[in-house]
Amino acid sequence: MDPKLRRMASALLALLLLLLGGMSSPFSPQAGLLEKVFRYMDLHQDEFVQTLKEWVAIESDSIQPVPHLRQELLRMMAVAAEELRRLGASVDLEDLGSQQLPDGQTLPIPPVILGELGNDPGKPTVCVYGHLDVQPATQADGWLTDPYTLTEVDGKLYGRGATDNKGPVLAWINAMSTFRALEEDLPVNIKFIIEGMEEAGSVALEELVRKEKDRFFSSVDYIVISDNLWVSQRRPALIYGTRGNCYFTVEVTCRDQDFHSGTFGGILQEPMADLVALLGSLTDSAGHILIPGIYDHVAPLTEEEKELYGAIDLDLEEYRNSSRVKKFLFDTKEEILMHLWRYPSLSIHGIEGAFDEPGTKTVIPGRVLGKFSIRLVPHMNMSVVEKQVQQYLQYIFSQRNSSNQMAVSMVLGLHPWIADIKDHQYLAAKRAIKTVFGTEPDMIRDGSTIPIAKIFQDIIQKSVLMLPLGAVDDGEHSQNEKINRWNYIEGSKLFAAFFLEVAQLHE
């Protein structure tokens, strides 16, 4: 379709949706304002895409501890801060110091942006969290295009960070800038907390939140996170829970030097054999975790929760095809969603010390380190899980009568999070979604871990909402990550509508 015709059709659809419902009255001032907002966004969508292209071009990789990448991260934070200042926001760049790495090098931690626009006591204050760091990406990894050059193909905007999380952060800024461009009063006070180390574990962020609890966060009414995906390609979603994560290493050591298999093969208890046996003992072929007691504290399934799974728009065949998986462990939508969201899972991630290069090196590793994690759900306790894992693996290892040394460590522990879907801002988000998309949202959880949600909930003790923009096939962290132009632009409209709905409910 011709771009002009597409924009006209989008504007007409937006007006129709406003007339059919969403705002309390089709002829209310809010409905008329939103129609102007939506029309402006349609007309200026290419500018919004251009800004995203400029942000994607910054290689803000927080995972690889390389000085030039850390400088790119610092540049990314400075660009975002300047964009907020351009809109009239006051911005502080909170210095978090430096990071000492295991090899002895020191790298600066990118500052956290604390931005604020508006302090009207008669308006609610919405605090938006986002991050601007990304996972590593090179075209050699299997990308069809340069990951740091935003490339549009059939309405899909490909680029590292497009959906995780630069696109959603910019969608909030697009909503703000549209009100400003139209010379309309922003219906809420808005605050931003934007970090640059989320992919690397949000280094020092919790300490900053604690420090700012009674200052920056003191006036906050609602906290919104847009760092997730829908479970569908076309139907929006609201997220009310995430799993936690306990990450473990299990090390098996014979000596600190490798062996030649021709000289020592057959007379050693090989560390790799011990490790493979240990890792293989963690789950059965159906994915059930074999560690005794691991399911004891999983919250029971209620009828109300069960009904939510039945209402979710998930085409299993489409989901399987887009995942490029022949067969899942479960056959029904409800079983798959429950095992993704409300039951724990265990995944094996890799082995250090093993020979994994091309070729036929006949080595017996003298020391190997296996890595696995358990996704936690409410009401599992991290310290209990840690103890259960250690005791179980010690028992399995003892059965092998190995002369090697074995050590289990939990190197990362992150709590699960769950929200009250009856909170005001969930209602506001539902209304905004109905206004923009003409449908009710899927009420879903996220099987991954977003630690900041639990941090905000526990420290600031305010309602936390997860309002995602991305489609299920966006491929965050993967090759060919993308965000659909439609999701990006309609998501910007959604955030503008959300501002108005929150203001209306707050009154």
Side-chain angles (χ1 to χ4, degrees), residues 211-239:
K211 187 184 83 170
E212 293 291 336
K213 175 186 175 183
D214 298 321
R215 191 190 72 86
F216 181 78
F217 294 107
S218 62
S219 60
V220 168
D221 297 297
Y222 308 105
I223 299 167
V224 189
I225 298 171
S226 299
D227 190 21
N228 320 74
L229 302 178
W230 302 345
V231 77
S232 159
Q233 290 190 15
R234 298 292 290 184
R235 186 173 175 181
L238 291 177
I239 296 173

Side-chain angles (χ1 to χ4, degrees), residues 354-384:
F355 172 62
D356 63 349
E357 301 293 331
T360 55
K361 185 178 179 182
T362 54
V363 66
I364 299 173
R367 169 195 166 276
V368 284
L369 183 82
K371 302 176 183 182
F372 66 94
S373 69
I374 299 175
R375 295 284 178 175
L376 307 182
V377 297
H379 304 275
M380 295 174 74
N381 182 290
M382 283 195 301
S383 60
V384 172

Side-chain angles (χ1 to χ4, degrees), residues 64-330:
Q64 300 182 81
V66 180
H68 88 269
L69 291 177
R70 194 53 58 93
Q71 289 302 313
E72 284 289 273
L73 255 177
L74 296 175
R75 183 162 74 94
M76 183 72 256
M77 304 310 290
V79 166
E82 187 55 38
E83 184 69 20
L84 290 175
R85 290 191 184 104
R86 187 182 65 80
L87 295 175
S90 62
V91 177
D92 289 332
L93 288 168
E94 293 292 322
D95 185 2
L96 299 183
S98 59
Q99 180 183 24
Q100 186 80 31
L101 300 176
D103 64 0
Q105 78 171 308
T106 300
L107 292 176
I109 299 172
V112 171
I113 293 172
L114 297 181
E116 183 173 1
L117 183 60
N119 57 2
D120 185 339
K123 296 177 181 179
T125 298
V126 175
C127 181
V128 173
Y129 163 84
H131 70 90
L132 299 176
D133 59 317
V134 299
Q135 288 279 328
T138 64
Q139 197 160 350
D141 294 334
W143 282 73
L144 298 177
T145 59
D146 175 9
Y148 295 103
T149 301
L150 192 73
T151 305
E152 184 166 9
V153 180
D154 298 328
K156 297 176 172 62
L157 304 169
Y158 291 95
R160 176 58 91 218
T163 198
D164 182 21
N165 183 233
K166 294 179 182 181
V169 169
L170 272 173
W172 286 107
I173 292 174
N174 296 342
M176 290 170 54
S177 67
T178 298
F179 278 96
R180 182 180 175 87
L182 294 172
E183 298 183 346
E184 295 286 352
D185 188 35
L186 198 64
V188 299
N189 304 315
I190 186 163
K191 294 192 174 191
F192 280 93
I193 174 169
I194 304 174
E195 67 162 319
M197 290 293 283
E198 190 271 348
E199 303 292 2
S202 295
V203 177
L205 186 66
E206 182 174 352
E207 292 84 350
L208 177 64
V209 173
R210 290 188 186 279
K211 187 184 83 170
E212 293 291 336
K213 175 186 175 183
D214 298 321
R215 191 190 72 86
F216 181 78
F217 294 107
S218 62
S219 60
V220 168
D221 297 297
Y222 308 105
I223 299 167
V224 189
I225 298 171
S226 299
D227 190 21
N228 320 74
L229 302 178
W230 302 345
V231 77
S232 159
Q233 290 190 15
R234 298 292 290 184
R235 186 173 175 181
L238 291 177
I239 296 173
Y240 64 94
T242 61
R243 292 193 290 190
N245 193 11
C246 287
Y247 200 105
F248 292 90
T249 62
V250 53
E251 182 181 48
V252 181
T253 305
C254 179
R255 70 176 190 183
D256 60 1
Q257 186 179 350
D258 291 343
F259 299 90
H260 189 295
S261 64
T263 305
F264 290 94
I267 63 170
L268 291 178
Q269 287 170 312
E270 298 186 9
M272 182 70 86
D274 282 342
L275 181 60
V276 168
L278 290 168
L279 296 176
S281 75
L282 294 169
T283 65
D284 63 19
S285 61
H288 186 83
I289 303 172
L290 298 176
I291 300 165
I294 203 76
Y295 293 96
D296 288 355
H297 295 98
V298 175
L301 179 65
T302 65
E303 283 302 316
E304 183 181 12
E305 183 190 343
K306 196 173 181 181
E307 288 173 7
L308 289 174
Y309 295 110
I312 289 169
D313 177 26
L314 178 67
D315 183 322
L316 277 187
E317 189 66 19
E318 179 186 280
Y319 184 56
R320 186 182 60 78
N321 288 337
S322 67
S323 304
R324 292 185 292 172
V325 173
K326 282 187 178 180
K327 181 174 170 52
F328 290 119
L329 291 174
F330 306 96

